[in-house]
Amino acid sequence: MIHFRLLAVSLFAIVLAGTAACRTPAVAPDLTRFEFERPQMGVPFRITFYAETAARADAAAAAAFARVAALNASLSDYEEDSEITRLSKTAGSGRAVPVAADLWNVLAAAQKLSARSAGAFDVTVRPLVQVWRRARRQREMPSLDRLAAARDVTGYQHLELDARHHTATLKLPGMQLDLGGIAKGYAADEALKTLRAHGITRALVAVAGDMTAGDAPPGKAGWRVEVPSLDVPGAPPAQFVLLANAALSTSGDLFQRLELGGKRYSHIIDPRSGRPVTDHSLVTLIARDCTTADSLATAVSVLGPEAGLALVRRTRGAEARVHSQPEEKFHTVETAGFRRFLEAP
Ligand code: AMP
Ligand code: MG
């Protein structure tokens, strides 16, 4: 049932072919590059790494995908029977619901960021996400009543976590959780951990715009990752980042958006207004782990360049760049260390 798309490129062959790897004597000649891709969490999940044998590679990849499938079954609000969906159904019951380790880790990280971002990042945003998804399907603005009803049941301060007992309480009836802004990053981190547990250290895990890297490929400074640019006139071309033992996430309305009355609405909601972000922007966020990169990128999309970068500067090990075009004018800001990660031109 499991079909891996396997691409194995013998590094030894590359050395013989006289490419860059040839000039790096540190390269172990018996390491082979493997690439596996499978749909997971509604997107292609790609794992690339170097291993000694195909058997070891297959075993490590199978374990990583199994880990991600298990996380999807727990964290996806698209699954009727996931742990997160079942938790949402307890909203307003007054019950403190015990949550398993992964869901706990994700909820705890999310709530911490909600507090740090003054509510810009908020996993209780699902009722609003649903209202705007419906608007996108129907191509019409939601009614004010519908919006007000969704706003009434949104707010991270109504999600109570008990760190001693690992329980969660959704205090308002109708509250619903959506981990779409953080779960892919967590899954990428966990996939990388699984590979490491299998002795694979030179690895890259990429889930759509979220990726995390272990050690660099043999003889290289990092994994070469393309960072898209904004699709507007005057925007610079896409660039490449070299990533090793770090994570990178992009967030913005480049791929998912609603256009109504000449206005462009992101799939990211500003929980404070109940409305989608409309600053046409693209956030590239680099952090020590992908849980942080993914969630922080979403938070910066909501906060905008100025407040967003201020939050990034307060996050140890994080760097970011924000391309935006709020009013026809293209604009870029970045933290001081962002360029360190760019491939030299
Ligand atoms: P990303 O693509 O990582 O920026 O995450 C976007 C997804 O996160 C959306 O599709 C929603 O499922 C969810 N989301 C939207 N707005 C927010 C928000 N303000 N805070 C947390 N998650 C959000
Ligand atoms: Mg994100």
Side-chain angles (χ1 to χ4, degrees), residues 49-97:
F49 59 78
Y50 287 81
E52 278 153 19
T53 65
R56 279 189 81 170
D58 285 349
F65 282 123
R67 177 81 179 106
V68 174
L71 286 174
N72 188 55
S74 160
L75 306 178
S76 170
D77 63 298
Y78 286 90
E79 305 287 331
E80 255 310 291
D81 199 37
S82 65
E83 191 180 5
I84 191 77
T85 303
R86 282 184 279 120
L87 176 60
S88 287
K89 285 181 183 160
T90 67
S93 68
R95 269 174 53 210
V97 181

Side-chain angles (χ1 to χ4, degrees), residues 120-122 125 133 178 180-181 251 267-269 271 294 298 302:
F121 186 83
D122 189 334
V125 79
R133 272 195 196 138
D178 175 342
S251 179
H267 65 302
I268 297 167
I269 310 289
D294 183 8
T298 307
V302 173

Side-chain angles (χ1 to χ4, degrees), residues 180-182 210 249-251 293-295 297-298:
I182 188 169
D210 300 300
S249 289
T250 48
S251 179
D294 183 8
S295 54
T298 307

